């Protein structure tokens, strides 16, 4: 039997049996269908501790499976998603832990499941410590930069709604202000939702 190697596309075959110098007639034709593999999905980085959401891109309308690699190296399914017509997908998962290794596969109907995506390690959240501030007369404002007592990274300040940026953090009046600290790994500790100790109130004398 001659070897035909690995098929890369659908192919029709016929068989001929040879005994000595005599050959049979051709057999009925048989089609061997080679299904393509769905493209490997891409997970959007960074992934951060305490998150319950993973996003990424893949082939449009693909079914996505999310895995976490456990200690013995075996991936365990922790969630799934469906890509939209543009290939974008979002999976809701159990809360991620720093150090988790996350991968994903994708499969479009009629195709073979993709290989595993590039792995993404879940990053730690930066630690943030703040203090309350009180203005010193005759000044009626405070500098929000003085509220941070510990924490390395890029800081952004927000008004009490946690959404609107503070126009001038160096001179704010009485109120509650929130901040977001982003570490080198791209993960952020957000005062409004991550650390109830990471907010402060400025007080002004009446």
């Amino acid at each position: 039997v001659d070897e035909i190697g690995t098929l890369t596309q659908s192919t029709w075959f016929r068989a001929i049996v040879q005994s000595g110098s005599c050959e049979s007639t051709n057999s009925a034709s048989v089609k061997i269908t080679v299904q393509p593999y769905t493209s490997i999905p891409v997970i959007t980085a960074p992934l951060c501790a305490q998150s319950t959401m993973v996003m990424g891109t893949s082939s449009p309308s693909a079914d996505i499976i999310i895995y976490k690699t456990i200690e013995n190296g075996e991936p365990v399914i922790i969630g799934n998603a469906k890509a939209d017509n543009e290939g974008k997908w979002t999976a809701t998962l159990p809360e991620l832990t720093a150090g988790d290794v996350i991968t994903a596969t994708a499969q479009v109907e009629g195709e073979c499941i993709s290989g595993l995506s590039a792995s993404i390690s879940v990053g730690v959240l930066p630690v943030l410590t703040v203090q309350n501030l009180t203005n010193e007369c005759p000044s009626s404002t405070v500098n929000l930069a003085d509220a941070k007592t510990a924490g390395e990274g890029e800081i952004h300040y927000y008004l009490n709604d946690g959404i609107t940026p503070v126009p001038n953090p160096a001179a704010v009046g009485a109120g509650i202000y929130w901040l977001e600290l982003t570490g080198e790994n791209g993960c952020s500790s957000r005062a409004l939702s991550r650390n109830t100790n990471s907010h402060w109130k400025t007080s002004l004398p009446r």
Side-chain angles (χ1 to χ4, degrees):
V1 178
D2 295 331
E3 293 186 1
I4 60 175
T6 301
L7 296 178
T8 58
Q9 61 184 7
S10 298
T11 307
W12 288 90
F13 290 91
R14 294 179 184 273
I16 297 175
V17 178
Q18 182 171 350
S19 177
S21 60
C22 298
E23 290 184 351
S24 68
T25 58
N26 290 342
S27 69
S29 60
V30 175
K31 183 179 182 180
I32 305 299
T33 301
V34 177
Q35 292 180 315
Y37 283 90
T38 300
S39 299
I40 294 174
V42 176
I43 298 175
T44 302
L47 298 180
C48 303
Q50 301 182 19
S51 174
T52 58
M53 186 178 297
V54 172
M55 297 182 292
T57 57
S58 68
S59 298
S61 303
D63 292 309
I64 309 299
I65 301 177
I66 313 299
Y67 305 85
K68 179 175 73 173
T69 301
I70 57 179
E71 291 182 0
N72 64 5
E74 293 295 326
V76 175
I77 296 175
I78 59 172
N80 56 72
K82 182 77 171 181
D84 63 18
N85 292 335
E86 296 181 349
K88 299 176 182 178
W89 52 267
T90 300
T92 300
L93 310 172
E95 186 174 285
L96 298 177
T97 301
D100 285 349
V101 177
I102 306 301
T103 54
T105 57
Q107 186 173 23
V108 173
E109 185 177 357
E111 297 183 354
C112 295
I113 192 168
S114 74
L116 282 173
S117 68
S119 60
I120 304 291
S121 291
V122 177
V124 299
L125 297 176
V127 177
L128 173 65
T129 304
V130 300
Q131 64 180 350
N132 292 333
L133 295 175
T134 302
N135 67 296
E136 296 182 4
C137 295
S139 175
S140 61
T141 63
V142 294
N143 186 346
L144 290 183
D146 295 332
K148 181 179 74 70
T149 59
E152 296 297 328
E154 183 178 355
I155 298 181
H156 296 278
Y157 300 96
Y158 297 90
L159 299 179
N160 192 29
D161 61 7
I163 300 173
T164 307
V166 176
N168 183 13
V172 299
I176 296 176
Y177 302 89
W178 304 81
L179 69 87
E180 182 179 84
L181 177 66
T182 302
E184 292 183 356
N185 62 0
C187 292
S188 298
S189 289
R190 183 148 188 159
L192 186 60
S193 59
R194 296 300 182 195
N195 186 344
T196 57
N197 292 324
S198 298
H199 70 277
W200 59 92
K201 181 177 181 179
T202 62
S203 59
L204 298 176
R206 293 184 180 274

